Amino acid sequence: MSTLNQKIALITGASRGIGASVALQLADDGFAVVINYSSNSKVADELVQELVKKGHVALAVKANVAKSSEVKAMFDLIEDRLGAIDVLVNNAGILKTAPLVQTSDELYESYFAINTQGVFNALREAGTRLNDGGRIINVSSTTLALNMAGYSIYNGTKAAVEAFTKVFSKELRGRQITVNAVAPGPVATDLFLQGKTEEMIQNFAKMPPLERLGQPEDIAQVISFLASPASAWVNGQVLRANGGLA
Ligand code: NAP
């Protein structure tokens, strides 16, 4: 049971980018937020300080989502410090595009370990530990609909996440927990911007009919809806948030 008088949201990969924006939004929505990260404790701690200054309850927890033992320990720690989780946002992920024939064993393994097994590890814990009536939101990608060269392994990791979303929503029957995915188009974060020329970035920005890149807040608003009572009847769905790109 929560020792707090508010619901608890765990956002994986929340120190930067989309996850950080989700943490800010869900805190504004009234959740106590847990900011997971895997390496850079400085930025995670700064985000916690920013939230605490605004009067929110926030906690940073270091755990590599690819390691089931670290994910289990993270759930244990959160339950000890705050209480049982109500909302899980599986957001942690990596993107390193490469043609399939140039993909090393190491890149393939780290991709699936973080983007796919990371989601599995957290879903498995959440399946028995999330409070009834809770919400699970997995982060997929619109690249799955675009089939661009260089994205085969990344898309493979996200196709699995969408499959988990649809089946897991049925396996949680009776718990009043919804499981949905959000599939963003290009969003201006380190993950998207790193390694791209200005011309490549502008080309991506022109692709959606709304003619701009997504901002982390665009995705955070959608996740906020899926985490809220307003989305109670949306379950097992993949919601693309991409300005009409696909
Ligand atoms: P980002 O800016 O690179 O941020 C990634 C976050 O994940 C950081 O907080 C990072 O913290 C954390 N992280 C990375 N590996 C981790 C691990 N093994 N365990 C726990 N945390 C880990 O990425 P983003 O653009 O916000 O992307 C977030 C999600 O959206 C990803 O799943 C991505 O595939 C998806 N997405 C992004 C876009 C886009 O255009 N940006 C589009 C579609 C989908 P540390 O640095 O401390 O590890």
Side-chain angles (χ1 to χ4, degrees):
M1 280 294 285
S2 173
T3 52
L4 298 168
N5 198 12
Q6 62 189 134
K7 290 187 171 174
I8 298 163
L10 164 62
I11 306 110
T12 68
S15 57
R16 301 181 277 118
I18 293 169
S21 197
V22 173
L24 287 161
Q25 179 64 52
L26 293 187
D28 280 346
D29 292 345
F31 289 93
V33 291
V34 182
I35 290 144
N36 160 253
Y37 66 99
S38 70
S39 60
N40 192 337
S41 54
K42 188 169 175 289
V43 284
D45 289 343
E46 283 168 2
L47 181 57
V48 167
Q49 281 164 23
E50 182 185 340
L51 285 160
V52 169
K53 256 191 213 154
K54 287 171 78 180
H56 298 309
V57 176
L59 175 70
V61 182
K62 181 175 179 174
N64 178 358
V65 293
K67 306 274 183 209
S68 59
S69 58
E70 294 187 25
V71 172
K72 183 177 181 308
M74 172 165 63
F75 273 74
D76 290 344
L77 187 144
I78 297 165
E79 284 175 7
D80 277 357
R81 296 277 295 275
L82 301 175
I85 295 164
D86 298 282
V87 171
L88 166 66
V89 182
N90 272 314
N91 167 76
I94 57 166
L95 169 69
K96 289 184 178 140
T97 54
L100 188 146
V101 295
Q102 289 166 26
T103 301
S104 65
D105 291 350
E106 291 73 25
L107 178 56
Y108 180 93
E109 281 160 16
S110 68
Y111 246 140
F112 273 91
I114 297 170
N115 290 11
T116 306
Q117 190 166 0
V119 172
F120 160 73
N121 288 334
L123 290 179
R124 190 170 53 183
E125 293 302 325
T128 54
R129 303 171 72 156
L130 217 68
N131 280 324
D132 286 0
R135 299 276 186 271
I136 298 175
I137 300 118
N138 298 324
V139 180
S140 179
S141 175
T142 287
T143 57
L144 206 46
L146 299 175
N147 297 309
M148 293 179 294
Y151 285 77
S152 55
I153 314 304
Y154 179 72
N155 284 359
T157 67
K158 295 297 189 182
V161 168
E162 293 195 5
F164 295 169
T165 301
K166 291 169 188 171
V167 177
F168 203 51
S169 68
K170 295 195 167 65
E171 292 181 357
L172 293 181
R173 175 180 288 274
R175 304 270 313 280
Q176 300 302 317
I177 295 173
T178 63
V179 187
N180 293 292
V182 174
V187 178
T189 66
D190 294 345
L191 174 141
F192 169 77
L193 297 169
Q194 272 171 10
K196 290 190 177 73
T197 62
E198 188 53 33
E199 191 188 355
M200 289 160 86
I201 292 166
Q202 287 314 318
N203 284 340
F204 272 104
K206 279 186 215 128
M207 283 165 73
L210 298 186
E211 294 188 313
R212 64 171 176 85
L213 292 178
Q215 295 300 319
E217 297 74 23
D218 292 316
I219 310 308
Q221 299 275 0
V222 176
I223 291 177
S224 164
F225 164 67
L226 290 174
S228 76
S231 70
W233 200 233
V234 182
N235 193 16
Q237 304 301 311
V238 179
L239 204 168
R240 290 191 193 143
N242 58 28
L245 174 58

